[in-house]
Amino acid sequence: MAEQLISTAVHHTLPESYVRSEAERPRLDEVVPDADIPVVDLANPDRAAVVAQIGAACSSHGFFQVLNHGLPLEVMLAAMAVAHEFFRLSPEEKAKLYSDDPAKKMRLSTSFNVRKETVHNWRDYLRLHCHPLEQFVPEWPANPPPFRDVMSTYCKEVRQLGFRLYAMISASLGLEQDYIKKVLGEQEQHMAVNFYPKCPSPELTYGLPAHTDPNALTILMMDEQVAGLQVLKEGRWIAVNPRPNALVINLGDQLQALSNGRYKSVWHRAVVNSDRPRMSIASFLCPCNCVKLGPAEKLIGEKSPAVYRNYTYDEYYKKFWSRNLDQEHCLELFRT
Ligand code: OGA
Ligand code: NI
């Protein structure tokens, strides 16, 4: 029900259904505040160095920030602005777009999977399919009026960046530059516009609890003013501090499988705070449903047998959404 949206009302106390058990709470005072994830400057003319930095980041953190990534600043700012405008729409307008059915390609929803989960998360989100654009844009919200144009431009730019990163990630694994793009087939692209309102008790709940992303590659535009993303590194949560004009890149489960476990799809989470709302725009590149996924042939050998079996994204995605978000790593269910 649309009444479950948390961006439509002001909350002075955290409702019981959002409160985590003692053992599951974020323990914000134990988070490493200033460790940060690797930063890669894509304008560096030494391409071999960039490829090496990306390879190192993919195996050490599964996460990195990119600077000088080619996305025009005005496109990024416009997307962030229209996302804020969207979440300021009236409750009636939002109710028209609300759904809690994960199978719906366009939906305004809340938490993660309200139908299945026992404890909710302090997040509302708008989920969109973005490729091919001509097919999906007509289903997107018509309000605020610039929404469709602004987000379409953002999606196209993000897709190009994703493909550039694929080439560099392929090269860093010793694969042909076009390997990842080709092997994942005609890629779907999804977007989650995440809005985390101010939360009365941030130490008792999550915006998003620990999860890995089920897709291939995620490109995240974060709120420059408000931190909240944390990444698990050697058993500790480290805060990702937003850098001006940067984008955060992380590998999803499909690139961990493709790399035969050399690269990691790392646990991450979003925490909330009581001072300011936070927005993030996540773009997910997803393999085509019809291709065979699993470790790249070239990375399998006598000394490195295949860690994962072959499967399709259709099979993987259904499994992912049938679980709780913070259960065991979904790839564990696809081991050889
Ligand atoms: C996601 C995600 C993190 C954030 O949408 O999958 O991890 O900071 N978001 O919003
Ligand atoms: Ni994520």
Side-chain angles (χ1 to χ4, degrees):
M1 283 187 305
E3 291 75 55
Q4 283 193 263
L5 288 171
I6 51 174
S7 59
T8 44
V10 176
H11 302 266
H12 299 289
T13 54
L14 187 68
E16 200 57 41
S17 57
Y18 291 81
V19 176
R20 295 270 163 178
S21 69
E22 194 86 36
E24 281 192 332
R25 291 180 190 166
R27 299 171 187 237
L28 299 172
D29 51 337
E30 291 174 20
V31 172
V32 184
D34 48 13
D36 233 335
I37 55 173
V39 177
V40 181
D41 182 350
L42 295 185
N44 181 348
D46 184 350
R47 188 178 155 95
V50 174
V51 167
Q53 283 169 15
I54 289 180
C58 290
S59 43
S60 67
H61 289 73
F63 262 86
F64 52 100
Q65 298 207 54
V66 287
L67 303 174
N68 297 311
H69 40 62
L71 255 78
L73 182 58
E74 62 274 17
V75 172
M76 291 170 63
L77 293 176
M80 222 6 130
V82 87
H84 277 282
E85 263 185 75
F86 176 82
F87 280 100
R88 281 197 293 265
L89 292 175
S90 68
E92 299 74 40
E93 191 82 12
K94 283 180 179 166
K96 289 186 215 156
L97 304 172
Y98 183 83
S99 169
D100 56 17
D101 177 2
K104 279 199 94 176
K105 293 193 165 151
M106 199 286 287
R107 66 186 192 278
L108 172 62
S109 198
T110 190
S111 188
F112 171 65
N113 192 351
V114 273
R115 286 190 190 175
K116 279 198 64 99
E117 66 204 12
T118 44
V119 187
H120 302 314
N121 305 299
W122 202 252
R123 168 182 83 140
D124 282 351
Y125 64 102
L126 176 67
R127 185 103 197 167
L128 305 172
H129 277 225
C130 315
H131 186 82
L133 273 169
E134 318 76 73
Q135 184 183 334
F136 292 112
V137 170
E139 297 176 9
W140 287 5
N143 276 320
F147 186 91
R148 291 179 180 175
D149 270 359
V150 166
M151 285 304 189
S152 299
T153 307
Y154 181 77
C155 285
K156 283 187 229 162
E157 294 281 349
V158 159
R159 192 171 181 86
Q160 290 320 307
L161 173 62
F163 291 160
R164 272 177 75 203
L165 291 167
Y166 275 168
M168 291 186 267
I169 296 169
S170 297
S172 75
L173 286 165
L175 302 168
E176 300 289 322
Q177 284 208 27
D178 58 358
Y179 182 85
I180 295 179
K181 182 162 186 250
K182 268 196 184 151
V183 83
L184 299 183
E186 183 63 20
Q187 310 249 332
E188 289 200 9
Q189 183 178 342
H190 303 172
M191 179 187 265
V193 185
N194 298 312
F195 182 65
Y196 307 98
K198 284 201 282 193
C199 176
S201 300
E203 65 287 355
L204 302 183
T205 194
Y206 292 99
L208 271 174
H211 68 282
T212 67
D213 291 349
N215 52 296
L217 191 78
T218 302
I219 298 178
L220 183 74
M221 174 162 50
M222 300 204 299
D223 201 309
E224 271 191 20
Q225 313 298 326
V226 192
L229 174 65
Q230 301 179 344
V231 173
L232 193 62
K233 169 82 175 139
E234 286 150 15
R236 297 195 70 184
W237 289 101
I238 62 177
V240 178
N241 299 314
R243 288 176 174 251
N245 313 336
L247 290 164
V248 175
I249 312 298
N250 70 284
L251 305 191
D253 297 352
Q254 302 319 320
L255 291 192
Q256 176 169 333
L258 182 144
S259 74
N260 202 25
R262 268 170 67 181
Y263 290 172
K264 300 285 182 284
S265 172
V266 167
W267 293 95
H268 55 285
R269 65 187 193 178
V271 299
V272 290
N273 74 84
S274 53
D275 299 329
R276 303 176 72 171
R278 172 172 180 262
M279 185 80 72
S280 75
I281 303 181
S283 298
F284 306 105
L285 284 177
C286 313
C288 173
N289 266 328
C290 52
V291 300
K292 185 177 82 173
L293 299 172
E297 295 279 337
K298 209 175 157 184
L299 303 180
I300 306 175
E302 248 173 57
K303 292 205 186 97
S304 51
V307 180
Y308 306 108
R309 67 171 172 87
N310 293 118
Y311 52 86
T312 62
Y313 196 53
D314 190 42
E315 182 186 356
Y316 196 88
Y317 207 63
K318 285 197 180 111
K319 183 72 87 186
F320 181 85
W321 279 95
S322 70
R323 303 150 54 252
N324 279 323
L325 191 54
D326 47 359
Q327 259 168 334
E328 68 173 337
H329 205 305
C330 191
L331 257 186
E332 290 300 313
L333 307 171
F334 292 79
R335 278 190 180 269
T336 46

